[in-house]
Each structure stands twice: as C-alpha cells, then as structure tokens.
Amino acid sequence: MVGRWLISFAIRALTGVLTRRNFDATLQRYIANILAVVLNVVLVIAILGYFGLETTSFAALLAGVGLAIGAAWSGLLGNFAAGAFLIIFRPYKVGDYVVAGGVEGTVVEIGLFNTTITAPDNVTTIVGNNKVSSEIIKNFSHNPYRRVERFAQLAFGVNPAEAIALLKADLATIPNVMAEPAPDVEILDFNERGTLLAVRPYCHTDHFWQVWFDTNRLIAEKFGAAGLPAPRTVHDVRQVE
C-alpha cells in the first residue's frame, strides 16, 4: 500500500512538472503510463525479495520477456518513438496541409503510433510515424502563403508582351489572390509550339485549388476573347533531292 501510494505521488509530481513545462497532453499521458508500469514492476520485485523469494531468476525472466516483446513489437516501438519526437518537435500540427510519408493531404490526427491524413479526394490514410519521420516532410501550411504554378502556351507570332499584359490586368482580381506578393507573369521558355509563359499568383494554402482552377479559367477566357490563335506544333519539312 505504501509502495502504490509512492508510485501515485511520483506520477502526480511528474505530470505536474510536464504540465508546467507545457508538454503535450498526449505525451504526458503516455509518459505517466510507462512510468507507472515500470515502478509497479519494481515494487512487485521488491516485495518478493522482502519475503525472501529469489528475485534474480524472476528479474532475468522478466528481462527476457521484455526483450522478446520488444523484438516482436520493434515496428510498433519505432512508431512510438517517432510519434514522441513528432509531438515534441512539431514539424506539423492538426489541420496543416502536408506531404508526409509519401501521402499528401490535411492532418487529422497525430497519434503516438501513426498519423491520420485526409487527401484532397476525401480518402483517409493512416501512416506509421516511423515512415513519416524517416522521409521528407513538406508542410504547405507553415508559411502564410504559397505560389500557384500555372503555364500559358502561346502560338508562334503572338507577342509575349501583349499576352503578359492581358493576363496581369485581371490576375489580381481572382478571389483570394494576394496583392503582395503580386502575381507574376513572365516568359518561362520557348518550345516547338511558341512561347511558354509562367503564370504565378500567390494565395493561402486553404484557397490553393480554387485559385488554381480560376487561373486556368482566366487564361482560357482572356486568350479566347483576344482572338489569340491556338498553339500548334510546327514541323520543318524539307525535300532532299
């Protein structure tokens, strides 16, 4: 009874320290549970030793069982350790739009063993934390805005300066496009169909797909209204005599 009281006191003291240091509540609970299990095992061994029972073989057996469980659960333990680091260092949080463990979508839950992500097509994927922490993590919500990367292909003979002015005039009027930084429309490359323009508005990640589709619509509408010819591949055919 005294031993159990001391264990409860130690757990309450540890929880209080972690709370004052603003540790994550989930991490606090798991640390407290691990400490409770370890201290209760130590208490049982101490009681058996007090009553004169041989505890050396019991401790060795317990260590062997722990080793076997650890080997069998190596993957789970790896996910557990990775989850603890994810909660401590927080490369992302719930609600962030990320690419983690090869999965892209919005973070729904960060558990001690896995992370739950909902993809844009509303498919929920559960990824082991060990896989997440061992691969590159892209957090699209960390910065206040992101760039939408679109392209506009011009046909041969179309003046790129006129096309750029045509798009820049109304690109900033698309809903949720940021005024600062201002949208970019520049010559990106030249290919077999003509001049390729880079069209780059900026927006918050929550509005990314809306701005993406509206930018495509604006390019089609502006070029169509201006009567610009459709780009086509030009072949140079020569007759060899």
Side-chain angles (χ1 to χ4, degrees):
M1 292 175 61
V2 172
R4 292 298 299 272
W5 181 85
L6 290 174
I7 290 174
S8 299
F9 176 79
I11 293 174
R12 287 197 301 270
L14 176 64
T15 303
V17 171
L18 295 178
T19 301
R20 287 193 295 273
R21 293 181 178 273
N22 297 319
F23 265 62
D24 184 86
T26 304
L27 186 59
Q28 288 186 34
R29 184 168 60 254
Y30 276 87
I31 292 176
N33 289 339
I34 292 173
L35 180 63
V37 172
V38 172
L39 293 180
N40 276 289
V41 170
V42 172
L43 177 62
V44 170
I45 294 176
I47 291 175
L48 293 177
Y50 177 80
F51 285 103
L53 297 177
E54 182 60 43
T55 59
T56 304
S57 58
F58 179 77
L61 178 62
L62 189 63
V65 171
L67 183 62
I69 293 176
W73 288 359
S74 59
L76 289 177
L77 294 176
N79 287 327
F80 177 85
F85 282 111
L86 289 176
I87 291 176
I88 293 172
F89 295 110
R90 292 187 176 276
Y92 53 79
K93 63 182 184 299
V94 172
D96 284 353
Y97 189 85
V98 302
V99 174
V103 179
E104 180 175 351
T106 303
V107 178
V108 177
E109 181 184 0
I110 306 173
L112 256 293
F113 292 97
N114 49 59
T115 295
T116 303
I117 299 175
T118 298
D121 57 356
N122 205 32
V123 174
T124 298
T125 305
I126 300 174
V127 189
N129 286 331
N130 196 26
K131 180 175 178 59
V132 171
S133 61
S134 63
E135 296 186 4
I136 295 175
I137 299 173
K138 290 184 178 181
N139 189 340
F140 296 99
S141 300
H142 184 268
N143 295 323
Y145 61 86
R146 61 184 294 194
R147 186 177 73 191
V148 177
E149 186 81 20
R150 302 309 302 130
F151 306 98
Q153 179 68 56
L154 303 179
F156 279 108
V158 176
N159 188 336
E162 294 179 0
I164 290 173
L166 194 66
L167 293 177
K168 272 193 172 182
D170 291 330
L171 195 58
T173 64
I174 294 177
N176 299 311
V177 169
M178 302 181 68
E180 186 61 38
D184 298 321
V185 183
E186 299 292 344
I187 296 176
L188 181 66
D189 203 353
F190 304 94
N191 54 38
E192 69 279 359
R193 291 185 291 173
T195 305
L196 181 65
L197 301 182
V199 184
R200 297 170 173 172
Y202 297 84
C203 66
H204 189 274
T205 191
D206 290 346
H207 308 125
F208 179 82
W209 289 111
Q210 172 254 310
V211 173
W212 175 291
F213 294 132
D214 285 352
T215 301
N216 288 343
R217 189 179 300 111
L218 177 69
I219 294 171
E221 290 176 353
K222 285 296 178 181
F223 285 3
L228 298 185
R232 62 183 185 276
T233 302
V234 177
H235 300 280
D236 185 8
V237 179
R238 298 182 183 181
Q239 184 176 356
V240 180
E241 296 180 357

